Amino acid sequence: MRPKIYLFGDSITEESFCDGGWGSSLAHQFSRTMDVVLRGYSGYNTRWALKVVERVFPAELDSGVGRAPAAVTVFFGANDACLPDRCSGFQHVPVDEYKQNLRSIVSFLEKRWPEAIVVLISPPPIDENARLLHPFIENVLGLPERTNEAAGAYAKACIAVAGECGVPVVDLWTKMQQFPDWQKAYLRDGLHLSEGGNRIVFEEVIKKLKDAGLSLETLPVDLPHIAEIDPNDPLKAFQI
């Protein structure tokens, strides 16, 4: 069977299969070698993710040969970082709990699938002015529900957990801010990714997977390529 990579996260993962999304780019990259499976849940934080992780990845997935995934991306933190006294405060998770929740999610995945590559992705930076224009719910205070400073604290926590657990991590918060005009180049509403932002996530995830030994060069193609089929004897390529 083809190996799989699961994408587990919040809305930035859920919408990653849109045109130009980082998930759809991964599916295109591995179109003949690996299935990309979406498990994105808009609005979720790590507290909620930890509550449902066993339903997202039930034991039934392990039945049969070759069912363990090759990799799982875990992309939470943007909602945990909502400020508790602002309009999206119900999504807030304190940073220390966020770290513990991430550890627990990684531990669950590693116990379930010891050979799988788990890649953490930090929350992206926040454009606070743009968030004022795109509130999720009524914003009576007129203040952004997220700040870039808070997002940075959760990104730092994500990186710390990756170090503790010995798993690769994409520091999206830092990476995006290395470029000029990142607010408009990589974010479409101050939080969610533009096409350019999706491209960065795709490229960084590809790098982490390759560093861990998972790439087009290491994955077999599941069926003969058209170039391998003899025009004079096409069925020969399908003989086992």
Side-chain angles (χ1 to χ4, degrees), residues 170-190:
V170 174
D171 181 3
L172 194 57
W173 189 82
T174 298
K175 184 68 177 181
M176 284 188 170
Q177 292 183 90
Q178 292 174 346
F179 299 89
D181 198 29
W182 58 267
Q183 297 92 332
K184 293 181 174 61
Y186 300 133
L187 303 173
R188 60 175 174 80
D189 60 2

Side-chain angles (χ1 to χ4, degrees), residues 39 53-63 108 112-113:
R39 292 294 183 269
V53 67
E54 292 190 36
R55 281 187 278 169
V56 175
F57 303 113
E60 289 80 6
L61 291 176
D62 299 337
S63 60
F108 170 85
R112 173 65 60 84
W113 300 308

Side-chain angles (χ1 to χ4, degrees), residues 108-172:
F108 170 85
L109 295 171
E110 291 186 329
K111 288 178 181 176
R112 173 65 60 84
W113 300 308
E115 302 302 317
I117 302 163
V118 178
V119 180
L120 297 185
I121 306 174
S122 85
I126 297 295
D127 178 2
E128 295 164 32
N129 291 328
R131 289 310 303 152
L132 288 174
L133 301 175
H134 302 278
F136 174 66
I137 57 177
E138 185 180 6
N139 185 357
V140 295
L141 294 177
L143 297 170
E145 85 288 9
R146 295 167 171 85
T147 65
N148 196 37
E149 181 181 7
Y154 284 75
K156 183 178 180 180
C158 179
I159 295 163
V161 170
E164 294 168 13
C165 297
V167 299
V169 61
V170 174
D171 181 3
L172 194 57

Side-chain angles (χ1 to χ4, degrees), residues 4 20 27 50 56 67-68 78 84 99 107 112 117 151 162 171-172 180 190 193 210 235 239:
K4 294 181 177 66
L50 186 57
V56 175
R67 292 296 180 94
K99 292 176 72 174
S107 177
R112 173 65 60 84
I117 302 163
D171 181 3
L172 194 57
L193 307 180
K210 187 171 185 178
L235 294 182
Q239 295 176 359

